[in-house]
Amino acid sequence: MTKLALITGSTRGIGFEVARQLAAREHAVIITGRRQDAAEKAARSIAGSTMAHALDTSDAASIRAIAEWIAKEVGQLDVLVNNAAILLDEGESILQTSVETFEATMRTNALGPLLMAQAVAPLLRRSQAARVVNVSSGAGQISSMSGYAPAYSISKATLNAITVMLASAMPFARVNCVDPGWVRTDMGGSHAPRSVQQGADSIVWLATLPDNGPTGGFFHDRKRVAW
Ligand SMILES: NC(=O)c1ccc[n+]([C@@H]2O[C@H](COP(=O)([O-])OP(=O)(O)OC[C@H]3O[C@@H](n4cnc5c(N)ncnc54)[C@H](OP(=O)(O)O)[C@@H]3O)[C@@H](O)[C@H]2O)c1
């Protein structure tokens, strides 16, 4: 049976590839980005069942609006992939992180995914196979954290903590987070060693886990990794 998946930040990069792969695996996918026209363009270029909707994960009203739209149009959601994120402070020191950078990064990368999960939890509850995948980063791994991009890294460590809390609060779903590795996208740059297909692989795996699959874990290349 066709499942419905919402992927945040799926106009390009890893999110677009996750949407493409899920659409090829009997999912109807909702393509989202900050601009409706970019979401529609991306949706048109994917074979399979696609819809497009504007969504800004830094904006609580935008999050509420898409949840209300899904509730009205479909009444159920099977997969939420919290993929959208920004990286503003590569090369910066935590001693110089500005209020603006820290707030914008935390709002988009950590609070946004939490608000998304809260907003669609009633829709996921109606699914027989609810899955939430939070796209994190190796930069958010506290056990190996360095000085890299402080606001971004802290936002991803926070996203990991949110994942554990959500897994506990949503026993009707499998909720996990994933490090896609360093991937060639606008964010990763052209020198990254991994393709978007490689970056998307574990995300799609977690989005399509069997009912006895893990929940509350942090994964890289389909293997559990340290927090
Ligand atoms: N690339 C890497 O090497 C790498 C490594 C580790 C982790 N990651 C993680 O993987 C995920 C995808 O990264 P990527 O490399 O594919 O990034 P990307 O190429 O920069 O694409 C980011 C996507 O997020 C959307 N976006 C940005 N801000 C948004 C907002 N406020 N609301 C909604 N959508 C927003 C963008 O769409 P619009 O501009 O159309 O809004 C775009 O579709 C992120 O969570 C990132 O942290 C990436």
Side-chain angles (χ1 to χ4, degrees):
M1 206 177 73
T2 304
K3 293 186 173 129
L4 181 63
L6 165 61
I7 302 106
T8 71
S10 41
T11 54
R12 54 193 159 91
I14 296 170
F16 177 81
E17 177 60 18
V18 169
R20 199 189 62 75
Q21 290 191 23
L22 286 176
R25 295 179 59 161
E26 290 194 16
H27 287 68
V29 293
I30 305 172
I31 308 293
T32 64
R34 284 167 289 189
R35 288 188 12 233
Q36 178 72 26
D37 58 346
E40 281 173 9
K41 188 172 173 213
R44 275 196 303 274
S45 68
I46 290 178
S49 177
T50 61
M51 288 166 266
H53 202 287
L55 170 64
D56 182 344
T57 62
S58 70
D59 178 0
S62 176
I63 290 172
R64 275 197 304 276
I66 197 166
E68 282 164 14
W69 175 73
I70 299 169
K72 186 162 161 276
E73 296 295 322
V74 190
Q76 180 182 313
L77 183 69
D78 300 291
V79 177
L80 168 65
V81 180
N82 274 317
N83 167 79
I86 51 173
L87 168 58
L88 301 178
D89 61 343
E90 213 173 6
E92 282 184 19
S93 158
I94 193 165
L95 297 177
Q96 268 81 47
T97 302
S98 69
V99 170
E100 292 76 18
T101 295
F102 196 81
E103 282 186 353
T105 304
M106 291 298 281
R107 182 171 285 277
T108 303
N109 298 6
L111 180 60
L114 170 58
L115 295 181
M116 276 304 315
Q118 289 177 346
V120 301
L123 300 168
L124 289 168
R125 197 184 276 276
R126 296 198 191 122
S127 169
Q128 297 300 310
R131 306 287 178 259
V132 178
V133 186
N134 292 329
V135 182
S136 183
S137 168
Q141 216 166 359
I142 291 180
S143 52
S144 61
M145 201 170 265
S146 60
Y148 173 77
Y152 176 81
S153 298
I154 292 167
S155 76
K156 293 298 191 180
T158 306
L159 180 61
N160 288 358
I162 287 169
T163 303
V164 175
M165 292 256 179
L166 287 176
S168 160
M170 299 170 76
F172 52 89
R174 310 276 93 190
V175 184
N176 294 287
C177 55
V178 55
D179 163 26
W182 186 19
V183 178
R184 288 187 296 280
T185 62
D186 290 347
M187 184 186 285
S190 57
H191 297 299
R194 306 187 124 211
S195 65
V196 284
Q197 288 80 8
Q198 288 171 305
D201 175 75
S202 292
I203 302 170
V204 171
W205 171 67
L206 289 169
T208 56
L209 281 177
D211 291 342
N212 63 355
T215 192
F218 184 25
F219 293 88
H220 175 69
D221 284 345
R222 303 191 183 202
K223 293 194 180 67
R224 223 176 249 278
V225 290
W227 295 104

